[in-house]
Amino acid sequence: MSEERFGEFVLVRRHEQGHVAELVLDRPKAMNAVSTEMARCVAGACAALGEDRDVRVVVLTSTHERAFCVGADLKERNSFSDADLLRQRPVTRGAYTGVLELPVPTVAAVHGFALGGGFELALACDVIVADRTAVVGLPEVSVGVIPGGGGTQLLPRRVGAARAAELIFSARRVEAVEAGELGLVDQVVEAGRDREEALALAARIAGNSPVGLRAAKRALRLGQGLDLRAGLEVEDAAWRAVAFSGDRAEGVAAFNERRKPEWPGE
């Protein structure tokens, strides 16, 4: 396993045997609160991972034992003028869109607090694995703002408009078991096993065609919100992008030869 730092607050671990990369939130003294600098670190790491063709899956994890991410750094925000806040906005948006626009499947490993922008980082991932200590929520209206890292758009896509409205308007925190029942997270695992289970899921995903994975994610994302006919056209375009690829030829050959594929990734 190799490691690379992106600024002070983000670490990227590349797992050599599985084409899996971890994007590790590493600002433990602030429970991974998203400051301006941390947002730059996340965006920089995402840009690098998006360009790395060897990476097939990204897992978003945390080094803090009691928190995934507690959201925006309100201590930093307290010192801001209106002009400072306006200047920060594109920087923080870059972190959330960086995760959201990663071209490969993404899995969030959540334990402890994942609130506000912290939960939005998880929502930007394709799958959320949470352990039983997890507490999630979007409490922004309780401090006079709204979810601004994608929460008002991503949450209703997960749980429906009415449920998202109740959660956002009430600003309530939701513990792991209820979060699983409501669909706020996708898997609830035993305490302390969120990273292990997320990495195991990532390894299973990464065994599949890298060309197929990227195309499937593109079709899933681009098709959201479209009517069925338009969505099927998005799917057809993605199918055409992979149908004549080296991965498709290798996958068919491996199936018929009863062996494990050796994906060319093209």
Side-chain angles (χ1 to χ4, degrees):
M1 182 169 64
S2 63
E3 295 187 349
E4 179 182 3
R5 292 210 73 89
F6 287 82
E8 185 178 357
F9 302 128
V10 169
L11 175 68
V12 168
R13 298 185 181 125
R14 288 178 171 81
H15 295 249
E16 296 170 0
Q17 299 303 315
H19 301 281
V20 173
E22 276 185 82
L23 195 164
V24 187
L25 305 177
D26 187 29
R27 196 187 177 207
K29 290 182 180 179
M31 300 180 80
N32 290 328
V34 182
S35 63
T36 307
E37 182 55 32
M38 185 167 180
R40 288 194 183 99
C41 297
V42 171
C46 288
L49 289 169
E51 294 294 324
D52 189 340
R53 300 295 296 188
D54 193 52
V55 172
R56 299 180 189 173
V57 188
V58 173
V59 180
L60 189 57
T61 66
S62 161
T63 59
H64 197 285
E65 62 182 14
R66 293 189 296 111
F68 175 73
C69 172
V70 294
D73 187 339
L74 296 184
K75 290 183 179 179
E76 180 187 55
R77 292 269 181 95
N78 192 48
S79 68
F80 279 5
S81 66
D82 289 351
D84 292 332
L85 187 60
L86 194 59
R87 280 191 293 268
Q88 188 202 40
R89 178 61 175 163
V91 179
T92 53
R93 282 196 74 187
Y96 300 110
T97 58
V99 176
L100 185 65
E101 293 178 359
L102 281 166
V104 297
T106 50
V107 182
V110 174
H111 61 267
F113 297 111
L115 301 172
F119 188 38
E120 287 173 305
L121 286 172
L123 288 171
C125 294
D126 299 302
V127 180
I128 303 174
V129 176
D131 83 357
R132 289 184 176 273
T133 71
V135 179
V136 305
L138 296 174
E140 283 88 347
V141 298
S142 70
V143 292
V145 291
I146 69 166
T152 66
Q153 305 305 304
L154 294 170
L155 189 59
R157 284 169 165 79
R158 271 188 162 268
V159 300
R163 179 69 70 192
E166 182 265 314
L167 292 165
I168 291 171
F169 295 161
S170 69
R172 72 183 180 95
R173 300 180 178 191
V174 182
E175 295 186 359
V177 172
E178 184 185 3
E181 292 170 349
L182 295 178
L184 298 174
V185 303
D186 302 299
Q187 295 180 28
V188 178
V189 300
E190 293 303 314
R193 290 184 57 86
D194 55 296
R195 177 177 178 269
E196 181 180 351
E197 295 291 344
L199 286 171
L201 173 59
R204 292 196 295 274
I205 294 170
N208 296 312
S209 158
V211 170
L213 289 172
R214 287 174 178 250
K217 175 161 182 172
R218 189 163 61 250
L220 284 163
R221 287 293 175 89
L222 292 178
Q224 287 182 0
L226 300 178
D227 63 39
L228 179 58
R229 185 180 297 274
L232 290 173
E233 291 303 316
V234 168
E235 181 181 82
D236 185 65
W239 179 86
R240 290 175 185 277
V242 301
F244 309 104
S245 68
D247 273 15
R248 195 276 308 170
E250 169 61 11
V252 172
F255 176 84
N256 284 288
E257 295 167 14
R258 299 183 180 181
R259 60 174 174 81
K260 185 178 179 180
E262 295 181 7
W263 305 114
E266 58 184 23

